[in-house]
Amino acid sequence: MLEEPKISWINGQPFSDKYQDIYFSSDAASEVERVFINPTTFDELSSTKPEITILELGFGAGLNFCVTAQRFLDQKANNRLHFISFEKHPFSKKDYAKTFANLDRAIPFSSNLLDQAPALLPGWHRRSFVEGRISLSIFYGEAIEGLRDITNRHKIPIDFCFLDGFNPAHNPELWSEEILLEITKNLNADSQITTFTAAGKIKRRLEKLGFEIAKVDQRPIKRESIFGIYKGPTFKQA
């Protein structure tokens, strides 16, 4: 059974009562760009590679997906984006709508998510947008179960990984070595990772798994975030 997210709304923004943490910062869409997209080579690959694959931990309000999808479309290239995500406490369509209605900056692509919001049922949900150019595969349930399924069945490596679970101190399960190790099984030696946290424990854990880590200055909103390039074993799936 899926657990409801137990949301409080503070100044129009969703707040998790269970994890005692915000879903995103006050600058919302700009945070997605400055933390998850801008440190990477996303724009370059979006213009040159036939298909971009992103894996995200923590679908939440769907903000990362919608901002990334809109940025991808703005590149005006004739290629594809596959966005894979995991969520243990999925939003209802009503919660998605309330989130996007309260943002200071409109996200045009959000209407696509609202039109095809997945049912609140466990397991995989797949959606296709913009005549198949953008695909969303979202797993409702325990992230490790969905990740193992990806490892067993996905046939191409992940280009970018967005780690966007709640604060590691409040939600340690999603930042465990088991979860992060499973992610690395789906990466190439040049796959990139971004996350809002700069916690020393997470940085050291990623380095141990084969990531070359750099801290990204995020002032004045916050101090730092993390960007990393995977230097470990290359993708070996058949």
Side-chain angles (χ1 to χ4, degrees), residues 8-27:
S8 292
W9 296 89
I10 302 175
N11 297 323
Q13 287 186 235
F15 177 89
S16 171
D17 294 337
K18 179 179 177 66
Y19 297 103
Q20 288 296 293
D21 199 6
I22 56 175
Y23 278 85
F24 46 80
S25 295
S26 57
D27 60 338

Side-chain angles (χ1 to χ4, degrees), residues 50-61:
E51 180 169 351
I52 304 297
T53 305
I54 296 175
L55 185 148
E56 175 196 49
L57 289 187
F59 190 73

Side-chain angles (χ1 to χ4, degrees), residues 150-157 185-186 234-238:
I150 289 291
T151 300
N152 291 332
R153 297 199 294 170
H154 201 53
K155 302 304 180 186
I156 56 175
K185 296 176 183 178
N186 296 278
T234 56
F235 188 85
K236 295 181 180 179
Q237 292 190 43

